[in-house]
Amino acid sequence: MKKTSTRLADGRELIYYDLRDDGVRDAVDRRPLERTVTTSEVRRDPLLGDAVAIASHRQGRTYHPPADECPLCPSQGERLSEIPDSSYDVVVFENRFPSLAGDSGRCEVVCFTSDHNASFADLGEEQARLVLDAWTDRTSELSHLPSVEQVFCFENRGAEIGVTLGHPHGQIYAYPLTTPRTALMLRQLAQHKEATGGQNLFDAVLERELADERVVLASEHWVAFVPYAAHWPYEVHLYPRRRVPDLLGLDEDARSEFPQVYLELLKRFDRIFGEAESPTPYIAAWHQAPFGALEEFDGVVRDDFALHLELFTIRRTSGKLKFLAGSESGMSVFINDVPPERAAERLREVASS
């Protein structure tokens, strides 16, 4: 992998990740952009103890542009985009309309391929590995920023999810805090560790799932399963068999095997509801240990956390979406219409031939 860092016309950082070492990335951003002005701030909710990012400048962000005006495609002639070069393998750049900025963190866009009409599932294994390497590199770099406590790599796919740019891409949020969802995991981890005399909750969960009927696929270094208490109709958790706290901890064997396993999972997701309703909208989210202090979680250290990816769709059956209505949105109690065992069975049925 070759990494080349440059700057866009308004000062934002852009990084090319290339498969070949002989690529030259010296294209200049010719757009007459002014410096981006953001008003992002993070506010704490005194009743719930969680956080809300206030980012009013995002009201003006790009919204469903036609394909020939996509800002994530390479620049061609006088058609200028966020990527100055006329081609790329994988590229990462600071979001022009970030939810988090300055002392409130940082937001980046990850373009998985220059092919506007592709999806992550269409990538070859070499390209998917390059994306994994880019995620890992950005996790490392962002973790050293003084305002950053946790790094979150994720992909939103599909208009039903709320995606406003059709080009295959994901995002990275570098939070100035430990996110509420991670804090819940850490509290459960601490309670389990105390109650069992030091046993690890993630290890116990993985052992339980391997012994049950919800495993979707298992390889030498990875395990994918529908969790016992899945929140979403079709939800898969992907764990490395060797517990590590973040992407940086993966060894070469796990990295090499990841593209094959993950691409197979994505292809199965696209087959759940049949050809007529493919591709399937989904969210894919990497959960990594915070880089900040963990004193509030008694007895927990960073290495207790288990890196894992959570992949789920909001589609519950053909032509119907799962909406977060009263119980989910009002009280955070999910109601799942699809038994996790049936979801796992369906995801095994649609395996690639």
Side-chain angles (χ1 to χ4, degrees):
M1 178 187 78
K2 180 181 180 182
K3 175 183 174 182
T4 306
S5 180
T6 184
R7 293 282 171 181
L8 296 173
D10 55 7
R12 288 176 292 130
E13 185 177 18
L14 180 142
I15 306 147
Y16 295 98
Y17 293 91
D18 287 303
L19 290 167
R20 294 168 54 96
D21 292 334
D22 57 358
V24 177
R25 298 297 185 184
D26 56 5
V28 176
D29 185 3
R30 294 180 284 130
R31 296 173 297 169
L33 297 181
E34 297 181 356
R35 289 272 176 175
T36 302
V37 178
T38 61
T39 56
S40 176
E41 65 171 308
V42 174
R43 298 183 181 180
R44 294 278 186 174
D45 185 318
L47 294 180
L48 299 179
D50 61 8
V52 177
I54 309 297
S56 59
H57 62 277
R58 285 175 52 80
Q59 288 281 35
R61 65 187 184 274
T62 308
Y63 187 80
H64 291 301
D68 60 356
E69 296 179 16
C70 175
L72 306 185
C73 289
S75 293
Q76 299 289 339
E78 295 306 310
R79 183 191 165 286
L80 306 178
S81 73
E82 289 279 66
I83 297 91
D85 214 326
S86 59
S87 66
Y88 64 84
D89 291 335
V90 172
V91 71
V92 177
F93 60 88
E94 288 184 78
N95 198 321
R96 191 177 179 187
F97 304 97
S99 301
L100 308 165
D103 293 339
S104 296
R106 174 160 157 154
C107 293
E108 298 182 340
V109 176
V110 185
C111 297
F112 304 139
T113 172
S114 60
D115 184 353
H116 181 85
N117 297 312
S119 69
F120 202 119
D122 297 324
L123 303 182
E125 291 185 15
E126 187 179 33
Q127 184 77 6
R129 167 61 189 266
L130 184 61
V131 175
L132 174 63
D133 290 342
W135 282 331
T136 305
D137 180 71
R138 296 316 301 152
T139 296
S140 176
E141 293 291 324
L142 292 169
S143 71
H144 291 99
L145 296 180
S147 63
V148 172
E149 190 166 310
Q150 186 173 3
V151 179
F152 176 48
C153 307
F154 65 100
E155 179 192 2
N156 298 328
R157 203 274 287 272
E160 298 94 329
I161 297 293
V163 175
T164 58
L165 296 175
H167 195 103
H169 73 288
Q171 299 181 66
I172 302 175
Y173 277 20
Y175 294 103
L177 47 84
T178 296
T179 62
R181 186 173 176 84
T182 302
L184 285 174
M185 294 184 198
L186 292 169
R187 291 189 189 102
Q188 291 296 107
L189 190 60
Q191 291 174 16
H192 184 84
K193 193 172 186 178
E194 181 179 6
T196 59
Q199 294 181 18
N200 185 277
L201 177 59
F202 286 108
D203 292 349
V205 167
L206 187 56
E207 182 179 358
R208 173 184 179 178
E209 294 295 352
L210 279 169
D212 219 312
E213 59 184 311
R214 291 177 298 277
V215 173
V216 174
L217 64 86
S219 66
E220 184 178 357
H221 301 286
W222 295 89
V223 178
F225 58 88
V226 178
Y228 170 75
H231 289 59
W232 299 93
Y234 291 91
E235 174 181 344
V236 172
H237 293 190
L238 177 63
Y239 277 67
R241 287 184 183 266
R242 184 177 69 87
R243 172 165 44 89
V244 295
D246 53 39
L247 290 165
L248 302 170
L250 292 174
D251 60 24
E252 181 55 33
D253 289 337
R255 292 181 183 281
S256 296
E257 194 179 68
F258 170 77
Q260 177 184 356
V261 173
Y262 187 49
L263 291 172
E264 171 64 18
L265 276 181
L266 294 182
K267 289 171 183 175
R268 293 191 191 189
F269 255 61
D270 279 345
R271 296 191 183 103
I272 296 173
F273 306 105
E275 286 291 327
E277 296 199 52
S278 180
T280 299
Y282 65 72
I283 292 174
W286 281 109
H287 291 260
Q288 306 192 80
F291 290 94
L294 299 177
E295 284 86 355
E296 64 179 292
F297 309 104
D298 293 340
V300 172
V301 297
R302 248 189 126 250
D303 285 344
D304 289 333
F305 194 87
L307 166 77
H308 62 283
L309 182 140
E310 298 185 8
L311 171 69
F312 62 89
T313 179
I314 62 170
R315 186 177 288 163
R316 57 186 176 88
T317 190
S318 296
K320 298 177 182 178
L321 301 180
K322 165 65 178 176
F323 292 102
L324 300 189
S327 187
E328 292 89 353
S329 295
M331 296 302 286
S332 294
V333 177
F334 275 67
I335 300 169
N336 190 351
D337 301 323
V338 181
E341 293 74 20
R342 174 54 190 148
E345 181 183 14
R346 178 59 181 156
L347 285 162
R348 290 193 296 268
E349 290 173 351
V350 296
S352 298
S353 57

